[in-house]
Amino acid sequence: MTKRIGRYLPAALVFVGVLGLWELAVRAFGIQQFLLPPPSSIAAAFVEHFDELMTVGRNTLVEAVGGLVIGGVAALVVAFAIARWASASRALLPFAIAANSVPIIAFAPIMNNWFGILNPLSKMMVVAVLVFFPIMINTLRGLTLVDQASLELMRSYAASERAIFAKVRVPNALPYIFTALKVSATLSLIGAIVAEYFGGARSVLGQFIITEAAFFRFANAWAAIVVASAVSIAFFLIILAIERVAIPWHASARIVDSS
Amino acid sequence: MTDSVVRVRGVDKVFGIGADKTPALQSIDLEIPKGAFVSLIGPSGCGKSTLLRLIGDLTQPSAGTIEVNGKTAHRARVDRDYGMVFQAPVLFDWRTVQGNVELPLEVSAKDRAGRADRARAMLALVELSGFERRYPWQLSGGMQQRVAIARALSFEPAILLMDEPFGALDEMTRERLNLELLRIWKQTGTTTVFVTHSIPEAVFLSTHVAVMSARPGRILEVIPVDLPQPRNDLTREDERYFGFIKRVRERLRGRDVVRPGAAEVAAS
Ligand SMILES: Nc1ncnc2c1ncn2[C@@H]1O[C@H](COP(=O)(O)OP(=O)(O)OP(=O)(O)O)[C@@H](O)[C@H]1O
Ligand SMILES: [Mg+2]
């Protein structure tokens, strides 16, 4: 236990140190609130608007998670189809690659138009398109970059394609999928907030930040940014925890004997 | 000769096409009787692995025929007659030791109820009881190789094909695993084809040693090793054991002339 504390102590000290310097610098140089509010006023804003911040944070998280689920499921389906059927690969892969080159955020106003500016679905769709490619490509990699010897072993058992898929390719792909999900967790929050900047319900992070900034209540905007960061980190950690449980055998989850 | 389990006749194997053509094996004839333990030995690159893979239907001959249990090699593979052990253990990281040994039983949907017991019995055979719930990466190299052997034996294959299974192990572990392998072979009576680089290992384990020439690989001679069974530590001190080692070594060096018909195991 003391070991654990020792491990995180340097990072904690840096964090506290940076906050302290920030506070001091703002006071010492008399930096204007609208340029950079000191941590103390951000903290005060956070406490004052706690309920509202929780609500907008939750609403944005719902959009991010919803979008990740929609985009993730679509990506898995496409990746499995491509890996399973060569003809599917020829038909779908060019489009998937083309889609990746599109600046997805440019679609946000269109999505607002399609799914309704107040409908969270419009933000989810932006997120979905954003996370689709990294998940699809990583899954495809995991399904196809399989140790040749493993395939040969399965062949020696006269295993069916289906059995090879279920017993070799899918387990092999799981670490790749989780890597993509961890990247996408952050990506999905960025997507949701940026999509909200293009208009949407009032009680979401993006709109909250825009409105507060417009009224020069910058401490409130910063408090919302803190919430956004916390939500993003929490989302990442949740996926990390699921990964630990789902693939305990993977190298990333192995207990390293570090003494 | 009707009891031959493996019958290789006039087999050639050529890799690549055009200018890249590599003849790997040339006019291979080999008959392996039921219950035999045949070692393939020869210089690196002479086609030992290729011959093993041909018998196991993991690659196709360019000419000639391979019969296994009176069927084509392909049919035999589809009938799941083979247990393969490769040079690397090829265990699945995501399966426990127990799960790895159960894999072939799962694939063949065989013995659904007795699967776990069967796997445990095989692990006991290779002296890995108590490690069922571990993951492969928690085991030493030699233990992993023993898991691979337990896996190959778990579904009682008619033929065991082993490609330098102990190649990466130290001498002590190797000798111990040799004894274990012989014990298992005696117990199960499985016809075994075993590739090795080690002359003493080949002589110690085998009922027949097939000596191969450098590329393109041919079988120079099949030497019957009639040392008494069961083999044990005393075998390694037997004078005749050294005699066989000398004979194989000289054959590998290319002394002695090829005697016609010598390539037929069952002729002995
Ligand atoms: N897939 C392949 N494509 C082309 N050539 C191959 C292939 N597999 C093997 N060969 C060639 O066939 C020859 C025999 O290879 P093989 O692996 O059977 O040798 P080996 O006797 O097992 O050697 P070692 O003792 O080093 O394992 C080699 O010259 C090799 O280059
Ligand atoms: Mg080889």
Side-chain angles (χ1 to χ4, degrees):
Chain A
M1 197 58 225
T2 43
K3 233 181 199 167
R4 261 190 110 120
I5 293 171
R7 175 133 53 107
Y8 295 118
L9 196 61
L13 286 178
V14 168
F15 182 69
V16 173
V18 167
L19 283 187
L21 276 179
W22 178 350
E23 183 80 38
L24 278 177
V26 170
R27 283 169 196 248
F29 302 116
I31 295 174
Q32 297 289 318
Q33 278 272 336
F34 71 90
L35 284 177
L36 186 66
S40 54
S41 20
I42 295 172
F46 183 80
V47 172
E48 191 186 334
H49 297 280
F50 183 79
D51 289 340
E52 193 180 3
L53 283 170
M54 286 302 111
T55 309
V56 297
R58 195 180 54 236
N59 288 345
T60 298
L61 181 62
V62 167
E63 292 169 2
V65 172
L68 185 60
V69 169
I70 296 170
V73 169
L76 290 178
V77 168
V78 172
F80 275 60
I82 290 177
R84 189 74 174 76
W85 296 286
S87 52
S89 157
R90 277 192 295 278
L92 296 176
L93 207 50
F95 292 104
I97 290 168
N100 185 47
S101 316
V102 175
I104 311 294
I105 289 301
F107 276 111
I110 310 287
M111 294 294 178
N112 280 343
N113 193 30
W114 282 1
F115 297 99
I117 195 161
L118 294 178
N119 188 344
L121 195 60
S122 62
K123 313 299 177 286
M124 288 182 193
M125 292 315 286
V126 173
V127 173
V129 181
L130 202 59
V131 300
F132 174 83
F133 194 75
I135 299 179
M136 198 280 285
I137 276 299
N138 265 289
T139 307
L140 190 57
R141 244 189 227 136
L143 290 173
T144 48
L145 289 183
V146 174
D147 177 27
Q148 210 52 37
S150 304
L151 295 180
E152 219 156 57
L153 182 76
M154 293 301 276
R155 267 191 66 201
S156 81
Y157 300 143
S160 61
E161 270 307 312
R162 198 197 165 98
I164 291 174
F165 214 77
K167 293 183 198 301
V168 183
R169 294 190 187 278
V170 172
N172 190 67
L174 286 178
Y176 292 81
I177 294 173
F178 274 106
T179 301
L181 285 180
K182 282 185 281 185
V183 172
S184 299
T186 314
L187 213 52
S188 69
L189 233 85
I190 296 173
I193 292 173
V194 173
E196 287 161 4
Y197 285 164
F198 288 91
R202 163 83 177 90
S203 57
V204 290
L205 274 171
Q207 281 301 312
F208 182 89
I209 292 169
I210 282 191
T211 315
E212 297 305 297
F215 286 98
F216 297 102
R217 294 190 291 257
F218 288 102
N220 292 355
W222 277 89
I225 290 168
V226 170
V227 171
S229 310
V231 169
S232 176
I233 292 170
F235 196 7
F236 177 88
L237 290 178
I238 287 169
I239 291 179
L240 192 69
I242 297 173
E243 181 186 31
R244 290 281 155 99
V245 175
I247 51 172
W249 46 268
H250 190 245
S252 67
R254 286 174 199 171
I255 291 113
V256 188
D257 178 23
S258 63
S259 46
Chain B
M1 254 190 272
T2 44
D3 62 346
S4 282
V5 170
V6 178
R7 208 171 260 161
V8 180
R9 285 206 183 120
V11 162
D12 293 345
K13 177 68 185 179
V14 182
F15 284 109
I17 40 164
D20 292 333
K21 238 176 175 166
T22 323
L25 291 171
Q26 211 165 57
S27 37
I28 300 288
D29 290 302
L30 184 67
E31 300 233 353
I32 298 174
K34 191 167 169 49
F37 193 120
V38 177
S39 283
L40 304 178
I41 196 162
S44 180
C46 75
K48 303 180 294 294
S49 300
T50 305
L51 180 53
L52 201 73
R53 291 163 47 78
L54 280 166
I55 297 172
D57 188 47
L58 293 177
T59 183
Q60 310 309 316
S62 309
T65 57
I66 298 169
E67 230 176 72
V68 177
N69 279 335
K71 308 174 271 197
T72 62
H74 177 74
R75 186 72 234 164
R77 179 169 68 82
V78 172
D79 287 350
R80 304 192 164 107
D81 286 351
Y82 300 116
M84 303 257 328
V85 180
F86 301 93
Q87 185 158 5
V90 197
L91 301 174
F92 291 165
D93 271 349
W94 48 87
R95 285 174 173 254
T96 58
V97 165
Q98 171 91 14
N100 269 288
V101 176
E102 285 181 17
L103 175 73
L105 297 170
E106 264 177 52
V107 170
S108 58
K110 225 168 158 178
D111 193 15
R112 203 176 286 271
R115 201 178 282 164
D117 290 335
R118 176 85 196 148
R120 261 191 295 277
M122 287 304 113
L123 283 168
L125 204 60
V126 296
E127 294 176 356
L128 278 177
S129 293
F131 289 92
E132 290 86 353
R133 302 176 68 89
R134 301 285 184 90
Y135 283 95
W137 39 271
Q138 296 173 314
L139 305 183
S140 75
M143 291 159 93
Q144 291 181 13
Q145 202 54 267
R146 279 186 277 162
V147 176
I149 293 170
R151 179 183 59 194
L153 292 168
S154 68
F155 60 109
E156 296 177 331
I159 302 156
L160 198 52
L161 303 175
M162 306 177 94
D163 194 351
E164 294 184 48
F166 309 137
L169 304 181
D170 68 273
E171 198 62 30
M172 299 296 293
T173 313
R174 192 173 181 142
E175 284 188 3
R176 209 164 44 72
L177 289 188
N178 280 345
L179 285 172
E180 276 179 37
L181 180 60
L182 278 184
R183 184 172 52 78
I184 292 164
W185 172 68
K186 272 270 164 244
Q187 207 168 319
T188 58
T190 311
T191 309
T192 305
V193 187
F194 186 93
V195 173
T196 177
H197 271 133
S198 159
I199 301 172
E201 184 175 65
V203 170
F204 180 73
L205 292 172
S206 316
T207 57
H208 306 79
V209 177
V211 181
M212 295 176 68
S213 71
R215 212 155 49 103
R218 300 159 179 272
I219 294 184
L220 293 173
E221 186 182 357
V222 177
I223 301 173
V225 182
D226 54 356
L227 291 168
Q229 299 278 1
R231 312 262 167 93
N232 51 39
D233 286 331
L234 288 179
T235 311
R236 294 193 216 268
E237 285 155 24
D238 191 325
E239 214 163 293
R240 294 183 56 228
Y241 168 71
F242 294 108
F244 279 114
I245 289 179
K246 187 160 174 264
R247 201 168 147 200
V248 173
R249 180 170 294 133
E250 284 176 352
R251 206 74 198 79
L252 276 170
R253 284 203 193 125
R255 289 190 210 156
D256 213 342
V257 281
V258 186
R259 275 174 284 152
E264 287 206 1
V265 172
S268 60

